[in-house]
Amino acid sequence: MSYPMENQQPILSNHELRGLVKSLMVCHAWVENAMHLVERCYAGALDGSDTRGLAIIGESGSGKTRVLKHIANKYTPHRDPDGRKVPVLLIKVPSNPTVKGLAMELLHSLGDPLYSKGSETEMTIRLRRQLRSAGTLIIGLDEFQHFVDQASLKIQHHVADWLKILVDDAEVSLVVAGLPRCMHVIDTNPQLKRRFQAPAVMPRFNWAITEQRLEFRSILDAMQEGLEPFSFPDLASDEMSFRVYCATGGLIGRVANLLVQTLTDAIYANKTSITLQDLDRAAKRASFDLPTDIKAPFSRNFNILPSEEVIAQVMTIGVEDDMPIQSRPHRSRGPKRASDVFRS
């Protein structure tokens, strides 16, 4: 690969590249459904009619974090005459969470300068008071599967009980996102389970299901529309869409990562025409866990005819040692641009 000379003008500036990357975020039916349910949680907490929580369940790259960031970006922290308001408080659950550790993360995100000070009880009282004064309506917890030890499946019951009492006392809605095993936390805690509505499941796309295959291709088509000045092979074609599917496991987050890697390589090479070889190189850099039989889905020797065996292998890409999600057919309304849904 050739790289631009030191005094050579790059194809895109960093700002333009960030804008182009943002345009890759295309919404599909599962994302839209999850966003709709989170908006309902916000509205229910706002008028006090319904503060039930929501679990957003999916594999890595399915879009769970994007949904949480959507609601946090829409209802951003601000100041009014009564002080700083934080309508949506979003944090990542640390590994092996404790009550004190989780309280500290929440207090820090609320802007408490003394977030690490005090006993567990003192921090909880301060947190409850600050949630009320900040007008918080949603507590969003990403990586909620950290409440379950992956090896032993041991649940942090004490922390889950504390969390249930906190959201009850603060009268906020709890929205969590995580891998499928995080439902074990909710299902084994009757008091917490009563606080949740049915989960929003965000599975990967399954090539064997016609409706999902067509939507996956339409998402690729929508992504490609925003990739100017770069020219790609037709990503939504029969051949290319299957290659992309095999390279990403049907996970839209991985599709975005693949395209970002491809764009980055092209910018360094100061080229705008993307070839199959460019995609092959980018796929090897973007993913290190492709099954042996589909190690190079963009090579010219790759078998582009789908088979049950290949699809089954693709469906294992990126799967962690977790409880499986069942992909369900759904009625698609077609993909939307990120700008139509994600507002900051």
Side-chain angles (χ1 to χ4, degrees), residues 236-295:
S237 67
D238 289 344
E239 174 186 330
M240 287 303 301
S241 60
F242 185 62
R243 288 180 185 269
V244 174
Y245 178 78
C246 291
T248 62
L251 294 162
I252 298 304
R254 285 191 168 227
V255 175
N257 289 342
L258 169 65
L259 295 179
V260 167
Q261 182 65 60
T262 305
L263 294 177
T264 302
D265 290 347
I267 289 172
Y268 273 106
N270 208 40
K271 59 183 292 185
T272 58
S273 180
I274 307 300
T275 66
L276 203 63
Q277 184 179 10
D278 295 324
L279 287 164
D280 180 60
R281 185 182 299 112
K284 291 173 181 175
R285 292 177 175 174
S287 301
F288 298 94
D289 55 355
L290 297 182
T292 302
D293 290 350
I294 50 175
K295 207 68 177 176

Side-chain angles (χ1 to χ4, degrees), residues 26-179:
V26 178
C27 292
H28 53 81
W30 289 316
V31 171
E32 290 181 358
N33 177 62
M35 287 181 174
H36 172 68
L37 293 175
V38 174
E39 289 281 4
R40 283 176 53 183
C41 287
Y42 185 90
L46 181 62
D47 62 21
S49 62
D50 185 4
T51 55
R52 284 181 303 160
L54 174 70
I56 305 169
I57 308 301
E59 296 173 61
S60 297
S62 60
K64 307 180 301 298
T65 299
R66 178 61 56 179
V67 173
L68 287 180
K69 287 184 176 179
H70 158 68
I71 196 74
N73 289 337
K74 183 174 180 179
Y75 302 104
T76 56
H78 59 276
R79 287 194 174 276
D80 67 14
D82 296 325
R84 186 170 184 262
K85 301 299 179 183
V86 186
V88 178
L89 184 62
L90 176 60
I91 69 165
K92 284 189 176 182
V93 176
S95 298
N96 300 314
T98 62
V99 168
K100 196 166 184 177
L102 201 58
M104 186 170 64
E105 292 284 347
L106 292 167
L107 285 167
H108 181 265
S109 293
L110 281 169
D112 185 346
L114 303 176
Y115 64 90
S116 61
K117 304 297 183 181
S119 66
E120 179 181 300
T121 300
E122 290 168 338
M123 294 173 76
T124 301
I125 293 172
R126 197 163 74 249
L127 174 58
R128 190 166 57 234
R129 182 176 64 247
Q130 291 192 23
L131 286 170
R132 291 197 184 103
S133 65
T136 301
L137 298 172
I138 285 181
I139 293 178
L141 302 182
D142 200 4
E143 307 291 355
F144 193 62
Q145 73 273 1
H146 287 165
F147 272 69
V148 184
D149 180 78
Q150 186 171 356
S152 65
L153 292 182
K154 181 180 178 181
I155 299 173
Q156 303 284 0
H157 286 293
H158 176 57
V159 188
D161 289 340
W162 172 85
L163 186 61
K164 183 265 176 189
I165 294 171
L166 176 70
V167 296
D168 273 350
D169 290 346
E171 298 181 324
V172 300
S173 181
L174 178 63
V175 178
V176 303
L179 300 175

Side-chain angles (χ1 to χ4, degrees), residues 295-331:
K295 207 68 177 176
F298 293 106
S299 72
R300 298 193 180 279
N301 297 326
F302 181 71
N303 186 357
I304 60 172
L305 296 178
S307 67
E308 291 184 4
E309 292 77 15
V310 169
I311 292 173
Q313 286 194 59
V314 171
M315 295 289 284
T316 68
I317 293 174
V319 172
E320 301 190 31
D321 187 13
D322 213 308
M323 291 174 280
I325 294 178
Q326 297 298 324
S327 297
R328 299 177 298 187
H330 64 288
R331 187 176 299 278

